[in-house]
Amino acid sequence: MVEMIRTATNMYNHGWDERNGGNISMLLDEAEVREYLDMQSICTLETGFAAPELDGRFFLVTGTGKYFMNVQYDPAKNLGIVRLIEDGTKAELLWGYTDGGRFTSEFSAHMMSHVARLVVDPLNRVVMHCHPGNLLAMTYVHDLDERAFTRTLWQMCTECIVVFPDGVNVLPWMLCGTNEIGEATAKKMETARLVVWAQHGIYGAGRDLDETFGLIETAEKAAEIYLKIAHLPLVNTITDEQMHLLEQRFGVKAREGYLQ
Ligand code: 2HA
Ligand code: ZN
């Protein structure tokens, strides 16, 4: 909980979550939840989708319409703990949303992304969405082809290929808050932990809040460098040969076919 508050505050302070922008969900262990809660259901909410893989699982989730800026001052109003029931078509509220609120409007994208990432990595716990300015800006001026987008980011900072060797997947502009964008995001999450929503923001997934934050932070830094240099004549870059040296040195494998 403390980490959740710190992360939401940190994301707000980075300018990634203006107003009610952004949302976070974190899978909790049942034992962890039982330690703090009496497990009484406050109310049952319809999710609007099915996710049988997550039946009975517990999540700490930011609330819809809530401001990341305020999470630190009133966590019980701005966050909630829910248990998915009835094949994920319903969620029991166990704690939080004290003003009668509910989970984020992007709950389907979050839950479907959890399903997709847990298949790839059973230790995945966190899905995070936000609106970082440089990545967002990049989607207006850069080719949205995933290989091209990823390669540009990798070339902007040496550590990028080490931090996200699986690259960045990209969705074209789609209506947010729908099951369609949720399904499309989850599909993209099968092959990468970062999914850009063109002209909107980014989704990240990871084993804990710091790792997921760091993933987005690294991609955002690379996008910042790109915007600083995109209009200037390019004199130097990180070559594919050098990328291969990074792969060897750090024991990572770049996404198949992304390097020459
Ligand atoms: O609710 O970021 O995508 C805030 C959002 C929606
Ligand atoms: Zn958003």
Side-chain angles (χ1 to χ4, degrees):
M1 182 63 72
V2 170
E3 286 164 42
M4 187 72 154
I5 294 166
R6 274 197 202 127
T7 302
T9 304
N10 199 11
M11 290 171 77
Y12 175 73
N13 289 337
H14 273 68
W16 299 350
D17 298 278
E18 72 289 342
R19 201 173 180 274
N20 63 323
N23 22 77
I24 311 174
S25 61
M26 183 162 71
L27 179 60
L28 303 172
D29 290 334
E30 179 161 356
E32 205 178 352
V33 180
R34 283 192 187 281
E35 200 176 319
Y36 296 101
L37 299 183
D38 58 12
M39 309 304 266
Q40 290 297 311
S41 168
I42 298 164
C43 62
T44 301
L45 304 162
E46 300 278 339
T47 63
F49 57 85
E53 301 88 343
L54 298 177
D55 196 86
R57 307 301 292 268
F58 298 84
F59 290 91
L60 175 59
V61 194
T62 52
T64 183
K66 298 296 187 274
Y67 293 20
F68 273 32
M69 179 179 79
N70 295 332
V71 168
Q72 61 181 321
Y73 303 113
D74 196 346
K77 184 164 102 183
N78 295 291
L79 306 173
I81 294 177
V82 296
R83 169 171 39 197
L84 291 186
I85 55 168
E86 297 183 29
D87 283 346
T89 59
K90 295 196 171 102
E92 278 183 325
L93 179 63
L94 301 175
W95 175 89
Y97 308 144
T98 52
D99 63 349
R102 56 187 271 128
F103 38 72
T104 167
S105 59
E106 303 293 356
F107 198 53
S108 73
H110 277 257
M111 293 304 110
M112 291 177 198
S113 293
H114 277 285
V115 170
R117 286 312 304 173
L118 284 167
V119 172
V120 185
D121 177 10
L123 295 179
N124 195 86
R125 291 287 175 272
V126 174
V127 172
M128 190 181 277
H129 166 64
C130 56
H131 306 157
N134 294 294
L135 278 164
L136 228 164
M138 195 170 153
T139 68
Y140 287 87
V141 296
H142 195 283
D143 184 353
L144 295 182
D145 172 75
E146 290 168 346
R147 183 176 182 273
F149 203 92
T150 297
R151 284 179 54 83
T152 296
L153 291 177
W154 282 352
Q155 286 162 355
M156 293 305 111
C157 317
T158 293
E159 65 164 0
C160 279
I161 195 170
V162 179
V163 175
F164 51 93
D166 45 348
V168 175
N169 286 341
V170 183
L171 279 184
W173 188 93
M174 288 177 74
L175 189 61
C176 54
T178 62
N179 287 347
E180 288 71 31
I181 201 169
E183 279 158 19
T185 306
K187 185 88 198 120
K188 294 290 186 189
M189 281 280 178
E190 290 172 8
T191 49
R193 291 167 299 149
L194 286 169
V195 179
V196 165
W197 282 7
Q199 294 85 48
H200 183 138
I202 192 163
Y203 268 76
R207 293 181 172 183
D208 60 39
L209 288 162
D210 281 356
E211 184 192 274
T212 314
F213 180 93
L215 195 57
I216 294 176
E217 187 182 28
T218 307
E220 170 64 0
K221 176 69 173 282
E224 182 185 347
I225 307 297
Y226 173 72
L227 293 179
K228 283 185 201 291
I229 65 153
H231 59 295
L232 299 172
L234 191 69
V235 179
N236 303 302
T237 190
I238 305 171
T239 65
D240 280 26
E241 231 169 57
Q242 290 166 334
M243 298 276 186
H244 286 302
L245 290 176
L246 288 164
E247 281 186 295
Q248 286 157 27
R249 176 71 181 82
F250 291 95
V252 297
K253 185 81 194 79
R255 177 95 161 253
E256 192 65 40
Y258 274 31
L259 292 180
Q260 267 136 34

